[in-house]
Amino acid sequence: MRASLNIARLDLQSLRLAVKCFETGSLTSAAPLCNMSLMCASRRLQLLEAHLGVPLFYRRKGGLEPTHAGQVVSLRSIELLQLLERLIADALAAPGPTGIVYENCGRRKKLGLVNAEQYQSAH
């Protein structure tokens, strides 16, 4: 196991690509599902493997076969991507802030109790 992994080098598109490769068994099939050219997808997969320091797939004539690490990364990436989808859905469903709003334009003016949508539509 690598002692120091720069997590900033892991991007969601590359993890999504790894998941699609795992699900389809083919980089050729996975690339368009991720809106990538085959060449771009191949390079992203190589970079992901380099950043992680382990091969994720065996390249075979018939397609891709996940290594043990590839299975682990793909399954955890599925969980991560589902969690991010829930995070976005929850954030969008959350009510906006409410309370007393003050406007500071030279002198402080109390606007009263409003919600964020009312304030934004008025300004």
Side-chain angles (χ1 to χ4, degrees):
M1 184 175 145
R2 281 176 57 165
S4 60
L5 173 68
N6 184 352
I7 196 165
R9 295 199 176 234
L10 297 178
D11 65 285
L12 296 177
Q13 280 298 97
S14 295
L15 293 176
R16 186 170 175 259
L17 175 64
V19 168
K20 294 301 178 188
C21 287
F22 177 75
E23 291 173 346
T24 64
S26 165
L27 187 60
T28 303
S29 298
L33 295 174
C34 295
N35 299 316
M36 295 180 196
S37 69
L38 182 57
M39 189 168 67
C40 176
S42 177
R43 181 70 180 137
R44 274 186 177 263
L45 194 57
Q46 288 173 355
L47 287 172
L48 180 60
E49 290 175 322
H51 295 323
L52 292 172
V54 294
L56 300 177
F57 296 94
Y58 297 111
R59 275 83 170 162
R60 307 261 192 239
K61 243 184 178 182
L64 299 175
E65 181 184 332
T67 63
H68 182 69
Q71 291 175 353
V72 170
V73 168
S74 297
L75 294 174
R76 292 292 186 211
S77 294
I78 290 169
E79 293 173 12
L80 176 65
L81 293 167
Q82 289 172 343
L83 185 61
L84 285 172
E85 287 175 8
R86 283 200 331 253
L87 179 145
I88 292 167
D90 290 349
L92 294 174
T98 59
I100 297 175
V101 176
Y102 291 92
E103 185 175 46
N104 189 5
C105 51
R107 61 189 165 108
R108 205 165 161 180
K109 176 181 166 187
K110 185 174 178 180
L111 298 178
L113 188 62
V114 296
N115 65 31
E117 290 81 21
Q118 289 172 330
Y119 180 78
Q120 289 173 345
S121 66
H123 294 86

